[in-house]
Each structure stands twice: as C-alpha cells, then as structure tokens.
Amino acid sequence: MDAERIRESLESNGLRFTSQRYCVMAFLLEHAGHPTAAEIFEGVNRLDPRLSRATTYNNLRDLVQAGLVREVAVEGRAARFDAKSAEHHHFICDWCGRVEDIAWYPVPRPGAASLGKRVVRASELILRGLCSACAAEKASQ
Amino acid sequence: MDAERIRESLESNGLRFTSQRYCVMAFLLEHAGHPTAAEIFEGVNRLDPRLSRATTYNNLRDLVQAGLVREVAVEGRAARFDAKSAEHHHFICDWCGRVEDIAWYPVPRPGAASLGKRVVRASELILRGLCSACAAEKASQ
DNA sequence: ATCCAAAATTAGAAAGAGTCTAAGTTTGGC
DNA sequence: GCCAAACTTAGACTCTTTCTAATTTTGGAT
Ligand SMILES: [Mn+2]
Ligand SMILES: [Mn+2]
Ligand SMILES: [Zn+2]
Ligand SMILES: [Zn+2]
C-alpha cells in the first residue's frame, strides 16, 4: 500500500494524516510479524526519529478504534499489533508468546439465544500450543 | 466442590495443599465472574488475611499450568481468571472489559496443512462487542 | 499566502500489572 | 519428630501503558 492509499484510509476514518501516523501504519503493513508497541516505536525511529513513545501508543489506539489495526492481547506480555488485511485466525505460542497467522476458514457464531442482548462486533478464533520453533526445541531435549 | 475435592485436584497435579492455594481455588469456584488477580487477592483477604499478593500470582500461575484454571488476557487490562469447569466460549466487552461465558458449541479446528509443525493444545473462540449493560447504556444516549 | 481552531505530538511523570529476591515458614514423606 | 523440598512473604523492581500540560502541526476558511 502506498502513501496515498494510507492517507485515504486515515482520512476516511476521520484521522488526520501526520508523518507519525503514516510511519506507524506503514511499519505495520511492512512487518506482518505482529510487532509490539515498543518494537514499532524502535523500528520507526531507527529510520525517522520523529516518533515519540506516547504517540506510538496514541496512534495505535486510534488505528485500532478506526478498525484499521487489530490488537492481540497475550497473557503476561505486551500486546501485539496487526494491520488488518485479509481475515485470518491466530496461533499464540504458550512458550515464546509469538503470534502467528492461520489461514482463514469460517467459524459459526452462537445463536441469538445464547447472546441475549449483547451486540457482537467480531469473533475470533485463537489456537494455542507450541510454535514450530518451540516444538522442535522441546522435542530435542 | 468441597475442600477434599480441591485437595485431590491439587495433589493429582503435583501441587501441595496449602491454605492459600485452597482459598484461591475456592474463591474462583465460588465467583464465576472472571475475577482479576487483584480481586482474588482482596476477596480472599477480606475473610482470611493469610494470602499475600505474590502468592496470589504464584498460585494462579501454578493452577493455570496444572490446567485447573483458565487465564483470559484482555487488551489493556488485567488478566481474568476462570476455574475450569464445563467447556464454554467467552464474550469480551469492548467498552467495560467484562468477560462473560457463552454456551459451548463445537468449533472446527484448522486442517493439518495450515498448522504445519505447530502443536495445538487448545483452541478458543472469543466474541467481542458490547455486553448487555453497555449496549443498553449506549442506546439510551 | 495567512490565519485559526482543532487535532496531534512531546517529554517526562505516573499508574497499573506482574515478577523477582532472599529470608522465613509449612508441608508431607520417612 | 526430622528434614528437604515446596511454599509463602514483603517489598523492591521491571515492564507496559496512560496521563499531563505545554508546544507544534494540520487542513479548512479567508
Ligand atoms: Mn495476524
Ligand atoms: Mn469463563
Ligand atoms: Zn514459540
Ligand atoms: Zn460492557
């Protein structure tokens, strides 16, 4: 996605185009490995040191609210972020906390009876276990 | 579940029976609302002030590892805990962070092809949106 | 081009959640 | 009862995230 496309996606969500906002979004689009806020902050600053820590968090919050970015909470660790592209599921490694994409397939939603008056916005399937690297390491010991 | 049943479930998992461990487990069994570690600490201490904060966290970690308790990470908030009883799904409120149980129904797992060499231990379905209370509040404004 | 209000950014302080340490206590098998 | 291993503890510490208050930037209107 080029700068103009990012500009449009920001503006169509009522967000101004700023160099910091652009860099955060571009970083996420270029790094599909679910970086943490700290990794995004460091990664952007390495090339263009005009982004502060507070703004990294502010922008991630705004981008998540606008629906352009997905946040993945990992128990006991920093949250990870994902530029929303194609739908997919997530696998979280019990051992190293890595978040990996799993090819999408449809998952049934619960019936209206069990939802009551709740308003469902999204559903996500999370798989847990050992990633390939950790599974191999555990096997060899 | 009475004390003897809790004792057995702890011992069959290689955990000693201590008054602190018992209280944490009993609290979780009596409070199905997914309390946080801080809520468990305060709730237990109110009745029996022999539990420290460190031990609350230590025991929750051990109980999760033993498979007796489930931990639910909520983005930007403290983790919530759940004594594992019947299988169920979870609904997390975007607004207040509350975690609610959703009646269980089977969800298909991905095929071996998309899992590669990962070892899957569990899969969980998380629904997101507004809980009944927050949906009502938003509608009335 | 200039002006302006709203939106965004910043550094640093602060808060919140969870972990660690090192010393003391309890547990349960012998 | 004895003992080693397991457990608990207070409080310091780390890590992640949010807040504050001052400054700068943005983009629409002139
Ligand atoms: Mn992803
Ligand atoms: Mn539950
Ligand atoms: Zn791993
Ligand atoms: Zn709610």
Side-chain angles (χ1 to χ4, degrees):
Chain A
M1 202 188 290
D2 58 20
E4 214 32 61
R5 296 281 287 284
I6 291 179
R7 167 171 237 126
E8 280 160 26
S9 71
L10 293 178
E11 291 180 347
S12 71
N13 280 104
L15 296 173
R16 286 189 176 170
F17 181 88
T18 66
S19 95
Q20 290 86 346
R21 196 112 83 193
Y22 169 76
C23 287
V24 168
M25 194 67 204
F27 187 91
L28 278 173
L29 288 165
E30 282 160 20
H31 297 81
H34 308 94
T36 62
E39 285 164 356
I40 296 167
F41 171 55
E42 285 157 26
V44 170
N45 263 313
R46 188 160 302 135
L47 303 169
D48 178 349
R50 282 181 300 170
L51 177 67
S52 72
R53 215 156 43 88
T55 298
T56 308
Y57 280 101
N58 288 345
N59 279 331
L60 287 169
R61 191 229 302 114
D62 295 344
L63 292 168
V64 167
Q65 262 188 12
L68 297 172
V69 166
R70 174 143 60 136
E71 177 173 359
V72 184
V74 185
E75 42 296 327
R77 301 178 187 253
R80 296 182 165 276
F81 296 88
D82 193 355
K84 262 193 198 167
S85 43
E87 267 193 295
H88 58 268
H89 302 301
H90 279 141
F91 177 93
I92 303 182
C93 180
D94 287 336
W95 192 251
C96 67
R98 186 185 315 214
V99 174
E100 295 175 333
D101 290 347
I102 299 290
W104 191 83
Y105 60 90
V107 168
R109 285 202 183 183
S114 48
L115 285 177
K117 289 178 177 163
R118 299 180 189 93
V119 179
V120 176
R121 172 184 57 79
S123 75
E124 65 183 303
L125 179 63
I126 296 181
L127 298 149
R128 297 178 178 279
L130 297 176
C131 72
S132 328
C134 290
E137 201 177 321
K138 294 256 165 180
S140 77
Q141 277 169 14
Chain B
M1 200 186 290
D2 58 19
E4 214 32 60
R5 296 280 288 284
I6 292 179
R7 167 170 238 129
E8 280 159 25
S9 71
L10 293 177
E11 290 181 346
S12 71
N13 280 105
L15 297 174
R16 284 190 177 170
F17 180 88
T18 66
S19 96
Q20 292 86 345
R21 197 113 82 193
Y22 169 75
C23 287
V24 168
M25 195 66 205
F27 188 91
L28 278 173
L29 288 165
E30 282 159 22
H31 297 80
H34 307 96
T36 62
E39 286 164 356
I40 297 167
F41 171 55
E42 285 157 25
V44 171
N45 260 314
R46 188 161 303 136
L47 302 170
D48 178 349
R50 281 182 301 170
L51 176 68
S52 71
R53 217 163 52 87
T55 297
T56 308
Y57 279 103
N58 288 345
N59 278 331
L60 287 169
R61 190 227 304 111
D62 295 343
L63 292 168
V64 168
Q65 262 187 14
L68 297 173
V69 166
R70 177 145 58 137
E71 177 173 0
V72 184
V74 185
E75 43 296 328
R77 302 178 187 255
R80 296 182 163 278
F81 296 88
D82 193 355
K84 262 193 199 167
S85 43
E87 267 193 295
H88 58 267
H89 302 302
H90 279 141
F91 177 94
I92 303 182
C93 180
D94 287 337
W95 191 253
C96 67
R98 186 185 314 215
V99 175
E100 295 175 333
D101 290 347
I102 298 290
W104 191 82
Y105 59 89
V107 168
R109 287 203 182 181
S114 49
L115 285 176
K117 288 178 177 161
R118 298 180 189 93
V119 179
V120 177
R121 172 184 57 80
S123 75
E124 65 183 304
L125 178 63
I126 296 181
L127 299 148
R128 297 178 179 279
L130 297 176
C131 71
S132 328
C134 290
E137 202 177 321
K138 294 257 165 180
S140 77
Q141 278 170 14

